[in-house]
Amino acid sequence: MSTQEQASYVAVCPECDVDLQTDEPNEIVAFHRRHYRVTGHDVKLERTELNFEEVTSTDIKGVVRQLEEQYENGVPIGVVAAVMNEHGLTIGETLDKIHEVRMTGGLYEPRDNYLGAF
Amino acid sequence: MTQWERAQAKPVSPDITDRSNALPAKYFTEPEFFEMEKEKVFGQYWIYAGHANSISEPWQFFTRTVGNQTLILVRTADGDIRSVKNFSARDGAPIVDETPMSDPGYIDPDEFTDLESVHVDSIGPLVFVNLADDPMPLSEQAGVMKDRLEALPLGEYEHACRIVSEVECNWKVFASNYSECDHCQANHQDWIKGISLDESELEVNDYHWVLHYTHEEDVEDEMRIHDEHEAQFHYLWPNFTVNMYGTADGYGTYIIDPVDTDRFQLIADYYFRDSDLSEEEREFIRTSRQLQEEDFELVERQWDGLKTGALAQAQLGPNEHTVHKFHRLAQDAYNS
């Protein structure tokens, strides 16, 4: 049995057979952005370990609002991507939806790559 | 065949007193200029600190970072507001943790006594600080803006909402964007429907400028705090705005706070009769947020372009008096 601890988040690109294992949720988004910029491939989340109660909301704004209570200065965008992954959205699709809602004024970034809901 | 015209990428002229000349791009993009701004801009002029209503009780305080200094703003026992530098003369350690105006704390009066003071003045309930030893009076920097705002019952309104956004762009690009509405037709297509741009007016003063707009809808007469069908967007050099919307019984302020050369925070505060937001007020702020997001997208694109170094100096359009004023004030400060 391996003694190596499993990373909380594993993102993979099935087409290129590359992956990223990390405990830092926003790194999966950075990985997606880099990979998408170079290859045009949307990477997939293979493993997400969310250490909080189930998020009942299914829309982006509701998810951020629900998670905001657990984070002091904005919800990491990677955590939002992980929750939306449970609802069948890829990282790329989640980022597109975040942009869409931000442009209507429903979400804001209190700091880079962290989200607040209004 | 198209030929690259190199001459177009050269500086127009370093002299930005020529009204079409913008501030050279290096003042936006090179980190050493941000360090200079901390001293020559944020260390010399009156900078908005926060709203007096947020520290209404004795020894309530909030902090505000201006240039290289973190300041504490305190309501003292005699009801005045004082500002001191947030470090102990004994060991240099901060006296209090960072505390935003939207969540003020209480300070022990004994801790406060020996701290180094900075200048404080106000326009109605809006409190300003100045780090200079011998600053120009706030009344001189704010000019007619002070009289106009003090004629309004701004102090009767309560802070209802603060939204802080971090944007990847130099603070001066957003400040320039705020100062004109040439971009509004293309960039704020929903909002512009209710605005009569033909009847708008740009007023330029020594250290502040005002964009006056007329709009179709208005709040009821008894609720209105300025002229009928009029919105006023005041910009006070270097980084503060007061937004009198006209379509809401309330007002807003923006602080355009640089984080570094490449980033700023937009701190948007909204004030209404009551600090509990009604559904209409919430919807109003959501629209305001939408306008901010539309502007963020625009200025981040401009910033991406500016950073490439292809443009050494921009040329301003004939209507951009206010932007030119902003750039000239920056240049004057750098040369001081």
Side-chain angles (χ1 to χ4, degrees), chain B residues 102-123:
Chain B
S102 48
D103 188 19
Y106 286 89
I107 191 169
D108 179 345
D110 294 339
E111 281 191 280
F112 180 75
T113 38
D114 294 330
L115 304 180
E116 191 182 336
S117 289
V118 299
H119 298 278
V120 178
D121 202 348
S122 57
I123 298 175

Side-chain angles (χ1 to χ4, degrees), chain A residues 99 102-104 108-110, chain B residues 165-166 286 289 293 297:
Chain A
H99 181 257
R102 278 189 65 182
M103 294 307 292
T104 65
Y108 66 99
E109 277 189 310
Chain B
S165 309
E166 193 169 289
R286 194 202 59 74
R289 279 290 315 156
E293 286 292 346
E297 197 173 49

Side-chain angles (χ1 to χ4, degrees), chain A residues 70-109:
Chain A
Q70 302 177 48
Y71 293 91
E72 209 163 84
N73 192 18
V75 182
I77 204 165
V79 169
V80 178
V83 172
M84 296 314 289
N85 182 60
E86 310 278 308
H87 301 309
L89 260 62
T90 65
I91 299 174
E93 286 166 344
T94 298
L95 294 181
D96 287 348
K97 282 233 178 287
I98 287 170
H99 181 257
E100 203 177 290
V101 182
R102 278 189 65 182
M103 294 307 292
T104 65
L107 290 173
Y108 66 99
E109 277 189 310

Side-chain angles (χ1 to χ4, degrees), chain A residues 17-91:
Chain A
D17 198 25
V18 292
D19 67 22
L20 174 81
Q21 303 191 23
T22 177
D23 290 323
E24 172 49 53
N26 274 1
E27 279 184 16
I28 58 173
V29 176
F31 173 61
H32 163 81
R33 285 178 176 144
R34 276 195 307 273
H35 195 75
Y36 184 80
R37 205 162 44 233
V38 176
T39 65
H41 303 155
D42 195 352
V43 302
K44 297 193 172 12
L45 272 167
E46 205 168 71
R47 174 183 160 78
T48 58
E49 194 176 278
L50 300 171
N51 297 319
F52 41 77
E53 285 175 28
E54 192 190 355
V55 179
T56 47
S57 194
T58 54
D59 68 286
I60 294 267
K61 190 171 159 180
V63 167
V64 173
R65 184 165 284 161
Q66 220 173 323
L67 289 173
E68 253 182 322
E69 292 160 15
Q70 302 177 48
Y71 293 91
E72 209 163 84
N73 192 18
V75 182
I77 204 165
V79 169
V80 178
V83 172
M84 296 314 289
N85 182 60
E86 310 278 308
H87 301 309
L89 260 62
T90 65
I91 299 174

Side-chain angles (χ1 to χ4, degrees), chain B residues 2-29:
Chain B
T2 308
Q3 193 172 17
W4 174 248
E5 175 52 80
R6 281 186 179 276
Q8 286 180 359
K10 285 184 181 168
V12 181
S13 149
D15 174 16
I16 74 152
T17 55
D18 182 338
R19 70 178 191 172
S20 66
N21 288 1
L23 198 61
K26 66 180 180 184
Y27 290 105
F28 294 82
T29 56

